[in-house]
Amino acid sequence: MNPESIRKLFQEVRKGTTTPDDAVNRLRHLPFEDLGFAKVDHHRALRNGMPEIILGEGKTASQVAGIFSRLAQHGGNVLATRANQKQFLAVKSKVGGVEYREFGRAIVLQKDSTRYGKGIIAVVSAGTSDIPVAEEAVVTAEVMGNEVQHFYDVGVAGIHRLLANREALSKARVVIVCAGMEGALPSVVGGLVGVPVIAVPTSVGYGASFKGVAALLGMLNSCASNVSVVNIDNGFGAGYVASLINRLP
Amino acid sequence: MNPESIRKLFQEVRKGTTTPDDAVNRLRHLPFEDLGFAKVDHHRALRNGMPEIILGEGKTASQVAGIFSRLAQHGGNVLATRANQKQFLAVKSKVGGVEYREFGRAIVLQKDSTRYGKGIIAVVSAGTSDIPVAEEAVVTAEVMGNEVQHFYDVGVAGIHRLLANREALSKARVVIVCAGMEGALPSVVGGLVGVPVIAVPTSVGYGASFKGVAALLGMLNSCASNVSVVNIDNGFGAGYVASLINRLP
Amino acid sequence: MNPESIRKLFQEVRKGTTTPDDAVNRLRHLPFEDLGFAKVDHHRALRNGMPEIILGEGKTASQVAGIFSRLAQHGGNVLATRANQKQFLAVKSKVGGVEYREFGRAIVLQKDSTRYGKGIIAVVSAGTSDIPVAEEAVVTAEVMGNEVQHFYDVGVAGIHRLLANREALSKARVVIVCAGMEGALPSVVGGLVGVPVIAVPTSVGYGASFKGVAALLGMLNSCASNVSVVNIDNGFGAGYVASLINRLP
Amino acid sequence: MNPESIRKLFQEVRKGTTTPDDAVNRLRHLPFEDLGFAKVDHHRALRNGMPEIILGEGKTASQVAGIFSRLAQHGGNVLATRANQKQFLAVKSKVGGVEYREFGRAIVLQKDSTRYGKGIIAVVSAGTSDIPVAEEAVVTAEVMGNEVQHFYDVGVAGIHRLLANREALSKARVVIVCAGMEGALPSVVGGLVGVPVIAVPTSVGYGASFKGVAALLGMLNSCASNVSVVNIDNGFGAGYVASLINRLP
Amino acid sequence: MNPESIRKLFQEVRKGTTTPDDAVNRLRHLPFEDLGFAKVDHHRALRNGMPEIILGEGKTASQVAGIFSRLAQHGGNVLATRANQKQFLAVKSKVGGVEYREFGRAIVLQKDSTRYGKGIIAVVSAGTSDIPVAEEAVVTAEVMGNEVQHFYDVGVAGIHRLLANREALSKARVVIVCAGMEGALPSVVGGLVGVPVIAVPTSVGYGASFKGVAALLGMLNSCASNVSVVNIDNGFGAGYVASLINRLP
Amino acid sequence: MNPESIRKLFQEVRKGTTTPDDAVNRLRHLPFEDLGFAKVDHHRALRNGMPEIILGEGKTASQVAGIFSRLAQHGGNVLATRANQKQFLAVKSKVGGVEYREFGRAIVLQKDSTRYGKGIIAVVSAGTSDIPVAEEAVVTAEVMGNEVQHFYDVGVAGIHRLLANREALSKARVVIVCAGMEGALPSVVGGLVGVPVIAVPTSVGYGASFKGVAALLGMLNSCASNVSVVNIDNGFGAGYVASLINRLP
Amino acid sequence: MNPESIRKLFQEVRKGTTTPDDAVNRLRHLPFEDLGFAKVDHHRALRNGMPEIILGEGKTASQVAGIFSRLAQHGGNVLATRANQKQFLAVKSKVGGVEYREFGRAIVLQKDSTRYGKGIIAVVSAGTSDIPVAEEAVVTAEVMGNEVQHFYDVGVAGIHRLLANREALSKARVVIVCAGMEGALPSVVGGLVGVPVIAVPTSVGYGASFKGVAALLGMLNSCASNVSVVNIDNGFGAGYVASLINRLP
Amino acid sequence: MNPESIRKLFQEVRKGTTTPDDAVNRLRHLPFEDLGFAKVDHHRALRNGMPEIILGEGKTASQVAGIFSRLAQHGGNVLATRANQKQFLAVKSKVGGVEYREFGRAIVLQKDSTRYGKGIIAVVSAGTSDIPVAEEAVVTAEVMGNEVQHFYDVGVAGIHRLLANREALSKARVVIVCAGMEGALPSVVGGLVGVPVIAVPTSVGYGASFKGVAALLGMLNSCASNVSVVNIDNGFGAGYVASLINRLP
């Protein structure tokens, strides 16, 4: 629907190779199609050159398999997040070459292995329990063509563990930090590096952690200016934003 | 009302030096008196050997002056917190030797300068705006007979500022940490020292800091095990608890 | 990483017994090691002379057993909190001498029985349902070398039950108070004793207790000045802080 | 609109002394009238034999005076709550015999001094700052014909102050308890007496008191079974409910 | 511990029939005993002449049976609330004459059938789903010796259903109103009757009802002045308070 | 109870065909009857000419079947919402001609197929997971005699999908928009059409969606002026309101 | 941008009366213009045939006047809501024929007095303090060409006041109900009428009303199915939605 | 403190040009200095080559001037955010070349005009009232060396206004979107562009907008995957993060 193609359309009308009625119809013919339960948007994939994403959670195994196989026909990478083993088996029976990334709860079809990212994406997590969220970020960034390096269990109560990795961290082009409980880690990491930090609050904790709200508020109020935040447990979103940043020319 | 004095009372009754009716009355005569608008509790002062405290906020200047002068007659230290200049002037006109600690918003009468604390109380604050709360903790601890050392503006986004003071911090017997915004500082300090840390969330911040709630939640969820928390902006409470800890034999 | 050892390192470099490159490496070689899924921090144990703690919740039985047995090799006490029977069995098959404290949901390895605490830690709870949290505090304090005395089911609606224990309570050096519902008990206890009170809100209650939030807010707003607060149901944290206070020289 | 009067109406219709149309109209003629900005409900006063109440807050001085003078013409007591000095002066210029109760922020016209209450209503408050709310309860109960006794500044952190009044308290037929901060007082009072306790959370406090929410939640979760609760700072409501209870035959 | 008995004690000491030491001990001997997991408070029962209450929720069947049988030995009524079938069977095997009130989820032992209440307690509920909470209030009031009348499914969206019962309602001495969702019923009922209304928010509803919070807030803000409120789903508390009111002489 | 019928009643009394006592009784005889657990309100159905609705959730299968069959005898349409398969089978065994709408979780008895609606009701939903709520709205509107058109999976992140349906949307007389997560769709749709938009927040989402609260707040704050909102997941309410609007003459 | 005009555009291109480049430009030329600080959207006015609305709040007097006079040139009605006296004077100096509706805080320019609404819009409010919000709804509906009837101070605690207006209410085609505090009125009104009810929570109340949140939640959970809700104090939105409904053919 | 400089230090010690004691001291001498009320951190400026930032809010005019002039001596750009006119005048009297950006409430000293950003930063805002926050982002990005283009008043209720700017928007390398009320704009913009979007919730709105919380939640739950979020009203943070992204090589 960009000006060029519209201009071309008008020129065809001018030349008489297209009738006005056909032109109106072609303007309406937008690049998506209808599976009944979900409009598959190829357009988006075309627009930004990135893989199609399916949110597995809340969909049946056959719904996931249906959408996944359809998207797989277009030749790019496909990623199903928050997917379980059962959904994976349903997909696997329809699509070849898929793998299940258990820690990151993701079904991955990686046909395109081009390295789109210009630098390293560092994924840092505070505690052992934050790893599933961190892994979701890792697998997302990898499917989107990035080199990823992870730094796990480097929470702020033992600051020396983080400082020991300072040099490695400072080589990243973007940093993703996952933390639950008080969510302090992004502030400390943000102070150590000079690049954008994507903070992911996790629902790790109990009592007054309110399933990640404490960490979320902590990150939104970070005293480090280079921190922006995504939803609680949204490792995928962090991996996606980091990938977009990392592929900027 | 301790067993000893009650036993003594019974023995007087036995001996006939006290009648049963007088005994009942003496049991009732508890050590406080009535000013009309507030029952002044000398008993508490006797019990724990500590100064009387007046919360200035929400009281008129003359109410503060009335309570203050009454308490001053008992010879110990008196502290009015969250007090303003006007309340100070009212007190000053009735009681000699008082001073106003502007940063800590406190009226202080320090007749007893005994050093009750066994070690140093460190007061750490994250940013310039947290200083009033930190100062309230400082003045409270000082009135209660402690040596206090403060470390201001050492927030987590510039972790080297805190680490530069690590050695000095590690000499404290108790540490008070005041922080607003994400409230991450107590976790980091807690990881650096091996003594109790009293965390004070401050209402510094805006938006999703919700007037200190973000910091409060962060501190309650601290991954450092040696952290306990007092109310938002409650510098007094932190100073009081730290003093109690520091005077433990 | 204290100044003394660094100075020694520089002196070795001066003497030529260490090369500059080796020196840089030794500076980096911090005292923790990597198990893959969690960095075990011996350093922390060394720093404060206290047992290693494992949070059982959210870890598999074999993860708990793996970390536990590793830590057990260092000879000190080990405590796994919020641990279940299954995790205990996994640990027991790898480590000798462990016991399971059912009420406190804790796996304990107590090699060192030194009495580090200088006085008694009193653990007070309001109702029968608060006992698991109180027991977590008890077992933590015991593993950390303290004499503990508990006072259960002495809630404020029957104040005479608490007052009957007043004398015993007043002998404690630190008091832990666990309460759900309105969380009023720490305020009353705080008024009865002259030592630090660690308040633990519990998630006991229903409706507007909001899983411990009512109790938490009550405790943060305590009118007793000697009260500080830990997270909802955080019996471990209370026991830890109380132990630190009790071992202060 | 009770069955008796309706039956009478039907009988009049039967006898022909009232036409069906008149009867329909009389059914419609309910006992209130229209001042334009507020429908004055005399009916309610008739129904329960109690004074008319005006909420001063949010009304102009002349609105308050207009409603007040209208109600005064019906001969019963009139009470304007949350009223300020300006509103009082406006009322005073129109209605004789009114007085302003400053602490309770109430304008009172007490033409009927009958003692309707069968026993004493006790009003207990935790701190000096809770007094305005307590006084609102006091003035409401007095205007409604009750003997009221107050016990101020008997908060739970100095439990002996409350216990010293135990005997007096136990003579009340209903008890109102006003408290801010942690709102623990109603639970303790509830355990001491065997009569209904009306708890009034006050907005006294700061930080995590959230303008009375902490006290409100504490009271709703009271472990004393004889406690019911009214809105934050609603001294009037407590006085009203207590009066209704106290006048039950 | 009332003045009379203490005076008597002093007189015995005077006469020499009691030694001072024995006197001190008797002062200490308060009327409760220790079952290990819960201090059974006979004192409370004596004080207010009412049945013992056990909260079944969160206790094992054998704990409930243990406490229940102990209390049953004192000859009064016993009520276990929020109790399930399993707990009932455990109690039944130890105590004769108990019955299970399924709708009200209560185990009842009613040895004393005295009618203590002076009038009728009306229990009103808005919808079918509110009935369990309403029944808990009913059974509580009945065990405490009251005549109870219930009006179910008379919610405000069909106001004629409520109005049809207006006359019957107006005969009650106290009214309990249970409602979920918007919790509007107590306001309407409060406007129809001239006696105290105890409002019980229920957790009935979904979405923005937030498990009873919407109803709770509605009731706390009732524009009817004769309404006081208990915790969400607290039918027991409402029945208890209503019973206390109804037995006032 | 309208004036006409009351007048008629009075006229009968006048004529002597009805006695005053009978007249009082007839006034009381309101059009509902009592099933014991729920007052069935035929009156409401008569009043607004619409089907009877049963909320299935929280009722047993036999309760649903009982109410359903009773209502079915009155000849109109009957709809049970939030009903499960088990409830459907119970109804089916008692009532002929019922069908189960699985996606919309509704049991439907459609005896009256009159088209009451004057135009089309459009039902728009943002994502695949919002469909159950949208379907509840669809089935409700259909049972109430409307032509319904649905537009699914047209969320705002792919705005072209919505714009492609703009023309079809603009033909609706009322629009229902269901969306979870950020709940932005009603604002965009509201800007595209000139008719009333009923927004239904859904509980679709995770983390900071807080089970639909984020969407609810978004919709309440819609910058499109033609949007009003119903409860989270309340597809039924939206369908009901839309039907009322659509049948306005 | 409707298909017809686009088809026409293509036909012009076909005929050669428009060049392809001009056609692309005309497609881009959407009907709004730029004032620098706000894009005035005439398009919207054209689309739905309704007046332009300006939100006065948060704009300077001269900004309001600037936008107002610009919009006034297009000949339709103009309405500035939440406008103060100062803004009115600024508008008045630039635009003739404007009036200020003080109670509804609105600046009105009513050039078009066509009665667009097909029936009566009833505006009901619970208390005197809700009138400003109700008046905002009234003025909005009037500017949009409706006959409006208001029923003020008919809150639920005196249900007879509402019932007395039942007949009048039942003649409305749409009903707007404004209420603060517990927000119960829409449920009762909803049960009395068979037409759509737009509920407006107001911020009237104190304490646990949380500035309208209690009323908002009450309305969202209304047990009356014909209720939908707008934002707190959003009288304008209610008037707008009601007008759209009332003008449906 | 990077490895290179430490290695150099060791080598000097080896050579004997530095003594071990001097070396220890130099390790300690970190690059910040102490102004008494705030530690000025030049180090941070050196680390990331970016201007020093001062938060004006909550600081006195002389504090701002003191810090500003100190920082100005280091030759880079200086930015004071949330600064008022009075603070500006204090700064201006001490530092030459500063300017006040009124809409963005910023004091700017721009000595370095290097264009560090590689592309355009687009700043989009929903309504007129969001402009101050948007301007804060603009001025921050400009001081940090970026070309900025703004698109104001293009909220989602008039989607054509946004679509009209689609082409221009798609040329940006990073997009900042500021919106209050429902906060829907970032989702729509996120769907239109293929680059990172930084969403800034603003406190614009009333009632259930809860001072920006509705917008914040909306943005955190955005269905567009390329959106990350900063604190409410944090235009500075958005400008800072966007600048970091835009200067990535």
Side-chain angles (χ1 to χ4, degrees), chain F residues 156-157 159 163 181-182 184 187-188 191-192 206 208-210 214 217-218 220-224, chain H residues 156-157 159 163 181-182 184 187-188 191-192 206 208-210 214 217-218 220-224:
Chain F
V156 297
I159 199 74
L163 296 178
M181 300 175 79
E182 79 270 65
S187 294
V188 179
L192 294 179
Y206 61 89
S209 85
F210 300 127
L217 294 183
L220 285 168
N221 286 286
S222 177
C223 52
Chain H
V156 297
I159 200 75
L163 296 177
M181 300 175 79
E182 80 268 65
S187 293
V188 180
L192 295 179
Y206 61 89
S209 85
F210 299 127
L217 294 184
L220 285 168
N221 286 286
S222 176
C223 52

Side-chain angles (χ1 to χ4, degrees), chain B residues 169-217:
Chain B
L169 263 175
S170 68
K171 287 177 182 152
R173 202 163 179 253
V174 201
V175 182
I176 293 168
V177 185
C178 307
M181 301 176 79
E182 80 270 63
L185 191 55
S187 294
V188 180
V189 171
L192 295 178
V193 302
V195 295
V197 172
I198 317 293
V200 193
T202 73
S203 53
V204 169
Y206 61 89
S209 86
F210 300 128
K211 308 197 178 199
V213 170
L216 171 62
L217 294 184

Side-chain angles (χ1 to χ4, degrees), chain H residues 55-73:
Chain H
L55 175 67
E57 203 171 63
K59 294 203 178 70
T60 65
S62 70
Q63 281 180 320
V64 171
I67 306 177
F68 201 108
S69 67
R70 189 87 178 196
L71 294 169
Q73 292 164 18

Side-chain angles (χ1 to χ4, degrees), chain D residues 50-103:
Chain D
M50 289 204 284
E52 270 303 328
I53 314 294
I54 305 159
L55 176 68
E57 203 171 64
K59 296 203 178 69
T60 66
S62 70
Q63 281 180 319
V64 171
I67 305 177
F68 202 107
S69 66
R70 189 85 179 196
L71 293 169
Q73 292 164 17
H74 295 271
N77 293 341
V78 185
L79 171 67
T81 62
R82 298 184 170 234
N84 54 37
Q85 195 76 35
K86 199 178 159 197
Q87 292 168 333
F88 169 61
L89 294 176
V91 171
K92 200 183 175 180
S93 71
K94 288 190 138 187
V95 184
V98 295
E99 63 168 325
Y100 187 57
R101 299 278 291 264
E102 192 175 355
F103 277 117

Side-chain angles (χ1 to χ4, degrees), chain B residues 162-173:
Chain B
L162 181 65
L163 297 177
N165 288 295
R166 189 176 176 167
E167 206 179 324
L169 263 175
S170 68
K171 287 177 182 152
R173 202 163 179 253

